[in-house]
Amino acid sequence: MSDRPPSQKPPRQIRFLSPGKRERARLERQFAWLRRYSPVLGRIVQTLSRPGWTLVRVPVGILFILGGFLAILPIFGLWMIPVGLLLLSVDVPRLRRPVAGFLIAMRRRAERWKNRKKP
């Protein structure tokens, strides 16, 4: 029997995830935030992050990264490098932690900028 009164909830069970699953879950949380923050971009990310789209994601991600280095041309720009890394991070486990960290940092910076005091 338990020493707790019946009105108290039992403590939450903490599930321990392997480091790979933890990084994957962290990246998925950032994708979920991205879907809430920008529905249009979120739909694109959701479509491209489906399990069977690896053959599309990897070449498109590499093309985005290469296109980012052509920033002097009108359509291309440095914005393409993070998008390419975001696409590759779904399939390349080594990229998940830095990309998720970058998304978290950018999200916090955007929230600070949004909540700044205006003169």
Side-chain angles (χ1 to χ4, degrees):
M1 287 285 196
S2 167
D3 295 337
R4 276 190 324 263
S7 62
Q8 284 184 344
K9 292 182 181 178
R12 276 179 46 178
Q13 296 292 325
I14 299 174
R15 289 184 288 165
F16 294 101
L17 300 174
S18 66
K21 289 182 181 181
R22 189 177 321 131
E23 291 168 1
R24 177 79 177 179
R26 185 180 184 203
L27 187 65
E28 289 297 325
R29 283 193 306 269
Q30 299 314 308
F31 284 165
W33 173 83
L34 194 59
R35 284 191 292 270
R36 286 189 310 268
Y37 184 74
S38 174
V40 174
L41 185 59
R43 265 182 281 158
I44 295 169
V45 169
Q46 183 177 8
T47 301
L48 288 175
S49 63
R50 289 183 188 161
W53 284 63
T54 302
L55 293 175
V56 174
R57 244 187 332 261
V58 173
V60 169
I62 291 170
L63 287 175
F64 266 94
I65 292 171
L66 292 176
F69 291 118
L70 299 173
I72 58 171
L73 298 174
I75 295 176
F76 301 105
L78 290 176
W79 62 270
M80 296 176 80
I81 295 173
V83 173
L85 289 172
L86 181 72
L87 290 173
L88 284 178
S89 69
V90 175
D91 297 312
V92 181
R94 283 221 181 272
L95 288 176
R96 288 182 187 150
R97 176 178 270 173
V99 169
F102 175 76
L103 285 173
I104 292 169
M106 290 299 106
R107 185 185 76 203
R108 289 178 181 166
R109 183 174 290 181
E111 288 172 1
R112 272 194 310 246
W113 186 76
K114 184 179 173 183
N115 295 330
R116 74 184 190 286
K117 293 183 181 181
K118 297 176 182 158

